[in-house]
Amino acid sequence: MQRIAVIPGDGVGKEVVPVGLEVLGALGLALEFDQFPWGCEHYGRTGRMMPEDGLKTLARYDAIYLGAIGWPSVPDHVSLWGLLLPIRKTFDQYVNLRPVRLLPGVRGPLAGRDPGEVDMLFVRENTEGEYSGAGGRVHAGAAAEVAVEVPIFTRRAIERCARYALEQARQRRRSLVSVTKSNASRYAYVLWDEVVAEVAAGFPEVRVERVHVDAMAARMVLRPETIDVVVASNLFGDILTDLGAAIQGSLGLAASANLSVDGLGPSMFEPVHGSAPDIAGRGWANPVGAVWSAALMLQHLGHLGSAKRVEAAIDEVCRQGVLTLDLGGRASTTEVQQALLAALAAPGSRPSSE
Ligand code: IPM
Ligand code: MN
Protein backbone atom coordinates (compact mmCIF):
# COMPACT_ATOMS: atom_id res chain seq x y z
CA MET A 1 0.00 0.00 0.00
CA GLN A 2 1.37 3.40 -0.98
CA ARG A 3 0.12 6.43 0.92
CA ILE A 4 -0.54 9.75 -0.72
CA ALA A 5 -1.09 13.07 1.01
CA VAL A 6 -3.63 15.13 -0.92
CA ILE A 7 -3.65 18.93 -0.63
CA PRO A 8 -6.31 20.37 -2.97
CA GLY A 9 -5.38 23.87 -1.75
CA ASP A 10 -7.11 26.92 -3.16
CA GLY A 11 -9.41 27.93 -6.01
CA VAL A 12 -9.56 25.53 -8.93
CA GLY A 13 -7.19 23.22 -7.06
CA LYS A 14 -10.30 22.02 -5.26
CA GLU A 15 -12.01 21.32 -8.59
CA VAL A 16 -9.24 19.52 -10.46
CA VAL A 17 -7.75 17.39 -7.68
CA PRO A 18 -10.99 15.38 -7.24
CA VAL A 19 -10.80 14.53 -10.96
CA GLY A 20 -7.25 13.27 -10.51
CA LEU A 21 -8.40 11.18 -7.54
CA GLU A 22 -11.27 9.66 -9.55
CA VAL A 23 -8.85 8.72 -12.31
CA LEU A 24 -6.35 7.24 -9.84
CA GLY A 25 -9.16 5.35 -8.12
CA ALA A 26 -10.24 3.76 -11.42
CA LEU A 27 -6.90 2.02 -11.91
CA GLY A 28 -7.25 -0.67 -9.28
CA LEU A 29 -3.96 0.13 -7.55
CA ALA A 30 -3.18 -0.22 -3.85
CA LEU A 31 -3.11 3.51 -3.12
CA GLU A 32 -4.43 5.18 0.02
CA PHE A 33 -5.28 8.88 0.14
CA ASP A 34 -5.42 11.28 3.09
CA GLN A 35 -6.77 14.77 2.45
CA PHE A 36 -5.39 17.89 4.12
CA PRO A 37 -7.52 21.07 3.98
CA TRP A 38 -4.51 23.38 3.97
CA GLY A 39 -4.22 26.64 2.08
CA CYS A 40 -5.54 30.20 2.25
CA GLU A 41 -8.82 29.32 4.02
CA HIS A 42 -6.81 27.51 6.65
CA TYR A 43 -4.72 30.69 6.92
CA GLY A 44 -7.89 32.73 7.44
CA ARG A 45 -8.94 30.46 10.29
CA THR A 46 -5.58 29.85 11.95
CA GLY A 47 -3.03 32.39 10.69
CA ARG A 48 -1.01 29.58 9.12
CA MET A 49 -1.09 27.94 5.70
CA MET A 50 -0.58 24.55 7.33
CA PRO A 51 -0.20 23.37 10.92
CA GLU A 52 3.15 23.84 12.61
CA ASP A 53 3.92 20.13 12.26
CA GLY A 54 2.62 20.02 8.67
CA LEU A 55 5.95 19.13 7.12
CA LYS A 56 6.47 16.38 9.69
CA THR A 57 3.06 14.98 8.78
CA LEU A 58 3.83 15.05 5.06
CA ALA A 59 7.19 13.34 5.60
CA ARG A 60 5.33 10.12 6.43
CA TYR A 61 3.79 9.82 2.95
CA ASP A 62 5.06 8.22 -0.24
CA ALA A 63 3.96 11.19 -2.34
CA ILE A 64 2.07 14.48 -2.19
CA TYR A 65 -0.67 15.36 -4.68
CA LEU A 66 -1.34 19.10 -4.70
CA GLY A 67 -3.85 21.29 -6.53
CA ALA A 68 -2.96 24.97 -6.27
CA ILE A 69 -1.89 27.45 -3.62
CA GLY A 70 -2.76 31.14 -3.50
CA TRP A 71 -5.82 33.33 -3.12
CA PRO A 72 -6.34 37.11 -3.18
CA SER A 73 -7.13 37.11 0.57
CA VAL A 74 -3.49 36.33 1.41
CA PRO A 75 -0.44 38.05 -0.12
CA ASP A 76 1.14 35.61 -2.58
CA HIS A 77 4.57 35.67 -0.97
CA VAL A 78 2.96 34.74 2.35
CA SER A 79 0.88 31.85 0.99
CA LEU A 80 3.67 30.43 -1.15
CA TRP A 81 6.36 30.70 1.53
CA GLY A 82 3.90 29.19 4.01
CA LEU A 83 3.25 25.99 2.12
CA LEU A 84 4.49 25.28 -1.41
CA LEU A 85 8.07 26.51 -1.28
CA PRO A 86 8.90 24.99 2.14
CA ILE A 87 7.68 21.61 0.83
CA ARG A 88 9.94 21.84 -2.22
CA LYS A 89 12.94 22.82 -0.11
CA THR A 90 12.45 20.68 3.00
CA PHE A 91 12.06 17.46 1.06
CA ASP A 92 14.89 18.42 -1.27
CA GLN A 93 12.65 18.14 -4.32
CA TYR A 94 15.50 19.42 -6.38
CA VAL A 95 14.12 18.67 -9.82
CA ASN A 96 10.92 20.23 -11.08
CA LEU A 97 10.07 18.10 -14.10
CA ARG A 98 7.69 19.63 -16.63
CA PRO A 99 6.77 17.89 -19.86
CA VAL A 100 5.63 20.11 -22.73
CA ARG A 101 3.88 18.10 -25.40
CA LEU A 102 1.34 19.11 -28.02
CA LEU A 103 -1.69 16.87 -27.57
CA PRO A 104 -3.79 15.47 -30.41
CA GLY A 105 -6.99 17.41 -31.05
CA VAL A 106 -5.68 20.54 -29.33
CA ARG A 107 -4.94 23.58 -31.44
CA GLY A 108 -1.87 25.28 -30.03
CA PRO A 109 -1.06 28.88 -30.95
CA LEU A 110 1.88 27.91 -33.20
CA ALA A 111 0.72 27.73 -36.80
CA GLY A 112 1.11 24.45 -38.63
CA ARG A 113 2.59 22.43 -35.76
CA ASP A 114 1.47 18.86 -35.24
CA PRO A 115 1.81 16.68 -32.15
CA GLY A 116 5.25 15.16 -32.33
CA GLU A 117 6.82 18.44 -33.36
CA VAL A 118 6.49 19.78 -29.83
CA ASP A 119 7.83 17.31 -27.28
CA MET A 120 10.11 18.89 -24.73
CA LEU A 121 11.01 17.96 -21.17
CA PHE A 122 11.99 20.74 -18.80
CA VAL A 123 14.23 20.01 -15.83
CA ARG A 124 13.96 23.03 -13.59
CA GLU A 125 16.26 23.47 -10.60
CA ASN A 126 13.82 23.65 -7.70
CA THR A 127 15.60 24.57 -4.48
CA GLU A 128 17.68 27.69 -4.95
CA GLY A 129 18.62 30.30 -7.59
CA GLU A 130 16.30 33.27 -7.48
CA TYR A 131 14.03 31.35 -5.08
CA SER A 132 16.71 31.10 -2.38
CA GLY A 133 14.73 33.28 -0.01
CA ALA A 134 17.92 35.12 0.98
CA GLY A 135 17.62 38.87 1.34
CA GLY A 136 15.94 41.56 3.31
CA ARG A 137 14.60 45.09 3.42
CA VAL A 138 15.96 48.11 5.25
CA HIS A 139 14.68 51.66 5.80
CA ALA A 140 11.11 50.32 5.58
CA GLY A 141 8.74 52.93 4.18
CA ALA A 142 11.41 55.63 3.87
CA ALA A 143 12.49 57.21 0.61
CA ALA A 144 15.78 55.39 0.99
CA GLU A 145 14.12 52.00 1.33
CA VAL A 146 16.22 49.15 -0.06
CA ALA A 147 15.28 45.60 -0.95
CA VAL A 148 17.95 42.97 -1.52
CA GLU A 149 17.07 39.61 -3.05
CA VAL A 150 20.04 37.31 -3.37
CA PRO A 151 20.05 34.48 -5.89
CA ILE A 152 22.11 31.55 -4.64
CA PHE A 153 23.80 29.15 -7.03
CA THR A 154 25.70 26.21 -5.61
CA ARG A 155 27.89 23.75 -7.43
CA ARG A 156 26.04 20.90 -5.73
CA ALA A 157 22.59 21.96 -6.87
CA ILE A 158 23.65 22.68 -10.45
CA GLU A 159 25.55 19.44 -10.60
CA ARG A 160 22.71 17.17 -9.48
CA CYS A 161 20.13 18.93 -11.60
CA ALA A 162 22.33 18.74 -14.71
CA ARG A 163 23.00 15.06 -14.07
CA TYR A 164 19.29 14.32 -13.87
CA ALA A 165 18.65 16.22 -17.10
CA LEU A 166 21.46 14.43 -18.92
CA GLU A 167 20.13 11.06 -17.76
CA GLN A 168 16.72 11.99 -19.16
CA ALA A 169 18.27 13.17 -22.43
CA ARG A 170 20.15 9.89 -22.77
CA GLN A 171 16.82 8.04 -22.66
CA ARG A 172 15.13 10.40 -25.12
CA ARG A 173 16.50 12.11 -28.22
CA ARG A 174 19.98 12.64 -26.75
CA SER A 175 19.91 16.37 -26.86
CA LEU A 176 20.04 18.87 -24.02
CA VAL A 177 19.70 22.64 -23.99
CA SER A 178 21.20 24.31 -20.94
CA VAL A 179 19.53 27.67 -20.41
CA THR A 180 21.88 30.39 -19.23
CA LYS A 181 22.51 34.12 -19.10
CA SER A 182 26.25 34.07 -18.68
CA ASN A 183 26.72 37.08 -20.93
CA ALA A 184 25.19 39.50 -18.45
CA SER A 185 25.51 37.47 -15.25
CA ARG A 186 29.22 37.22 -14.53
CA TYR A 187 29.13 34.87 -11.56
CA ALA A 188 26.05 32.72 -11.14
CA TYR A 189 25.48 31.67 -14.74
CA VAL A 190 29.18 31.36 -15.45
CA LEU A 191 29.31 28.80 -12.64
CA TRP A 192 26.16 27.23 -14.09
CA ASP A 193 27.82 26.85 -17.51
CA GLU A 194 31.03 25.43 -16.04
CA VAL A 195 29.29 22.85 -13.90
CA VAL A 196 26.89 21.75 -16.67
CA ALA A 197 29.88 21.29 -18.99
CA GLU A 198 31.72 19.23 -16.38
CA VAL A 199 28.78 16.91 -15.84
CA ALA A 200 28.09 16.72 -19.59
CA ALA A 201 31.60 15.42 -20.17
CA GLY A 202 30.40 12.16 -18.62
CA PHE A 203 27.61 11.88 -21.20
CA PRO A 204 29.42 11.99 -24.55
CA GLU A 205 26.38 10.55 -26.34
CA VAL A 206 24.25 13.61 -25.46
CA ARG A 207 24.54 16.75 -27.60
CA VAL A 208 24.61 19.73 -25.23
CA GLU A 209 23.88 23.29 -26.31
CA ARG A 210 24.16 26.42 -24.22
CA VAL A 211 21.43 28.91 -25.05
CA HIS A 212 20.78 32.28 -23.42
CA VAL A 213 17.33 32.53 -21.90
CA ASP A 214 16.17 35.33 -24.20
CA ALA A 215 17.17 33.41 -27.30
CA MET A 216 15.56 30.30 -25.82
CA ALA A 217 12.21 32.06 -25.51
CA ALA A 218 12.32 32.84 -29.22
CA ARG A 219 13.51 29.37 -30.16
CA MET A 220 10.67 27.68 -28.30
CA VAL A 221 8.23 29.57 -30.48
CA LEU A 222 10.10 29.44 -33.78
CA ARG A 223 11.82 26.04 -33.74
CA PRO A 224 10.27 23.91 -30.99
CA GLU A 225 11.02 20.72 -32.94
CA THR A 226 14.74 21.24 -32.23
CA ILE A 227 14.23 21.05 -28.45
CA ASP A 228 14.31 17.81 -26.45
CA VAL A 229 15.43 18.07 -22.83
CA VAL A 230 16.03 21.47 -21.23
CA VAL A 231 17.83 22.23 -17.98
CA ALA A 232 17.24 25.62 -16.41
CA SER A 233 17.59 27.53 -13.17
CA ASN A 234 14.58 27.99 -10.93
CA LEU A 235 13.36 31.33 -12.30
CA PHE A 236 14.25 30.69 -15.94
CA GLY A 237 12.54 27.30 -15.70
CA ASP A 238 9.48 28.92 -14.16
CA ILE A 239 9.13 31.47 -16.93
CA LEU A 240 9.94 29.19 -19.85
CA THR A 241 7.51 26.51 -18.70
CA ASP A 242 4.65 29.00 -18.71
CA LEU A 243 5.66 29.73 -22.30
CA GLY A 244 5.75 25.99 -22.86
CA ALA A 245 2.25 25.66 -21.43
CA ALA A 246 1.03 28.40 -23.75
CA ILE A 247 2.60 26.56 -26.68
CA GLN A 248 0.73 23.43 -25.62
CA GLY A 249 -2.48 25.39 -25.95
CA SER A 250 -3.30 26.20 -22.33
CA LEU A 251 -1.81 26.57 -18.90
CA GLY A 252 -4.57 24.16 -17.87
CA LEU A 253 -2.76 21.29 -19.57
CA ALA A 254 0.63 21.72 -17.95
CA ALA A 255 1.82 19.13 -15.45
CA SER A 256 4.71 19.00 -13.04
CA ALA A 257 6.60 16.72 -10.72
CA ASN A 258 8.70 18.08 -7.85
CA LEU A 259 11.08 15.19 -7.43
CA SER A 260 12.97 14.36 -4.29
CA VAL A 261 15.36 12.44 -6.50
CA ASP A 262 17.51 11.14 -3.66
CA GLY A 263 14.44 10.17 -1.62
CA LEU A 264 15.03 12.56 1.30
CA GLY A 265 11.27 13.00 1.48
CA PRO A 266 8.13 12.51 -0.56
CA SER A 267 7.94 13.99 -4.05
CA MET A 268 5.08 16.32 -4.92
CA PHE A 269 2.92 16.38 -8.05
CA GLU A 270 0.92 19.45 -9.08
CA PRO A 271 -0.56 21.09 -12.14
CA VAL A 272 1.24 24.28 -13.15
CA HIS A 273 -1.85 26.48 -13.51
CA GLY A 274 -2.39 27.84 -10.02
CA SER A 275 -5.64 28.65 -8.24
CA ALA A 276 -7.20 30.77 -11.06
CA PRO A 277 -9.50 33.01 -8.94
CA ASP A 278 -11.06 34.36 -12.17
CA ILE A 279 -12.71 31.06 -13.05
CA ALA A 280 -12.77 29.24 -9.69
CA GLY A 281 -16.08 27.83 -8.49
CA ARG A 282 -17.74 27.65 -11.89
CA GLY A 283 -16.93 24.08 -12.86
CA TRP A 284 -14.97 25.12 -15.94
CA ALA A 285 -11.44 24.37 -14.85
CA ASN A 286 -9.37 22.17 -17.11
CA PRO A 287 -8.47 19.06 -15.10
CA VAL A 288 -5.95 17.71 -17.61
CA GLY A 289 -2.89 19.31 -15.96
CA ALA A 290 -3.88 17.74 -12.64
CA VAL A 291 -4.56 14.35 -14.21
CA TRP A 292 -1.30 14.44 -16.14
CA SER A 293 0.48 15.29 -12.88
CA ALA A 294 -1.18 12.22 -11.36
CA ALA A 295 0.31 10.19 -14.22
CA LEU A 296 3.75 11.58 -13.35
CA MET A 297 3.10 10.49 -9.76
CA LEU A 298 2.24 6.97 -10.90
CA GLN A 299 5.44 6.82 -12.88
CA HIS A 300 7.42 7.94 -9.85
CA LEU A 301 5.71 5.35 -7.63
CA GLY A 302 6.64 2.60 -10.09
CA HIS A 303 3.26 2.09 -11.76
CA LEU A 304 4.59 2.58 -15.26
CA GLY A 305 1.80 0.77 -17.09
CA SER A 306 -0.89 2.74 -15.27
CA ALA A 307 0.93 6.00 -15.93
CA LYS A 308 0.94 5.19 -19.65
CA ARG A 309 -2.77 4.31 -19.52
CA VAL A 310 -3.62 7.66 -17.96
CA GLU A 311 -1.54 9.58 -20.52
CA ALA A 312 -3.20 7.61 -23.32
CA ALA A 313 -6.63 8.44 -21.83
CA ILE A 314 -5.71 12.14 -21.85
CA ASP A 315 -4.67 11.89 -25.52
CA GLU A 316 -7.88 10.04 -26.37
CA VAL A 317 -10.16 12.56 -24.66
CA CYS A 318 -8.43 15.45 -26.41
CA ARG A 319 -8.62 13.61 -29.72
CA GLN A 320 -12.37 13.19 -29.16
CA GLY A 321 -12.62 16.95 -28.71
CA VAL A 322 -13.83 16.84 -25.11
CA LEU A 323 -12.16 20.15 -24.29
CA THR A 324 -12.73 22.82 -21.66
CA LEU A 325 -13.26 26.52 -22.42
CA ASP A 326 -9.57 27.45 -22.18
CA LEU A 327 -9.03 25.18 -25.22
CA GLY A 328 -11.96 26.57 -27.16
CA GLY A 329 -14.25 23.70 -26.16
CA ARG A 330 -17.46 23.60 -24.15
CA ALA A 331 -16.90 20.69 -21.81
CA SER A 332 -17.15 21.18 -18.08
CA THR A 333 -14.62 19.79 -15.60
CA THR A 334 -17.03 16.95 -14.84
CA GLU A 335 -17.55 16.12 -18.50
CA VAL A 336 -13.81 15.80 -19.01
CA GLN A 337 -13.70 13.54 -15.95
CA GLN A 338 -16.45 11.33 -17.41
CA ALA A 339 -14.65 11.13 -20.74
CA LEU A 340 -11.39 10.19 -19.01
CA LEU A 341 -13.06 7.44 -16.99
CA ALA A 342 -14.78 6.14 -20.14
CA ALA A 343 -11.45 6.10 -21.99
CA LEU A 344 -9.88 4.14 -19.14
CA ALA A 345 -12.77 1.66 -19.15
CA ALA A 346 -12.58 1.14 -22.92
CA PRO A 347 -11.25 -2.22 -24.13
CA GLY A 348 -8.15 -0.57 -25.60
CA SER A 349 -7.06 0.65 -22.17
CA ARG A 350 -6.05 -2.66 -20.63
CA PRO A 351 -4.38 -2.90 -17.27
CA SER A 352 -0.85 -3.98 -17.98
CA SER A 353 1.31 -6.17 -15.82
CA GLU A 354 3.52 -3.92 -13.73
C1 IPM B 1 5.08 27.38 -10.39
C2 IPM B 1 4.52 28.58 -9.71
C3 IPM B 1 5.31 28.85 -8.44
C4 IPM B 1 6.76 29.07 -8.82
C5 IPM B 1 4.80 30.06 -7.62
C6 IPM B 1 3.35 29.90 -7.29
C7 IPM B 1 5.65 30.31 -6.42
O1 IPM B 1 4.53 29.69 -10.56
O2 IPM B 1 5.04 26.29 -9.80
O3 IPM B 1 5.55 27.51 -11.53
O4 IPM B 1 7.14 30.17 -9.20
O5 IPM B 1 7.52 28.10 -8.72
MN1 MN C 1 5.23 29.24 -12.56
Side-chain angles (χ1 to χ4, degrees), residues 98 124 131 238-239 241-242 272:
R98 299 186 162 186
R124 166 185 174 190
Y131 288 62
D238 176 47
I239 297 167
T241 53
D242 259 36
V272 176

Side-chain angles (χ1 to χ4, degrees), residues 91-115:
F91 299 131
D92 211 19
Q93 297 170 344
Y94 65 79
V95 161
N96 192 326
L97 197 64
R98 299 186 162 186
V100 173
R101 191 160 65 80
L102 202 54
L103 300 176
V106 170
R107 240 185 43 179
L110 302 186
R113 294 289 183 186
D114 294 323

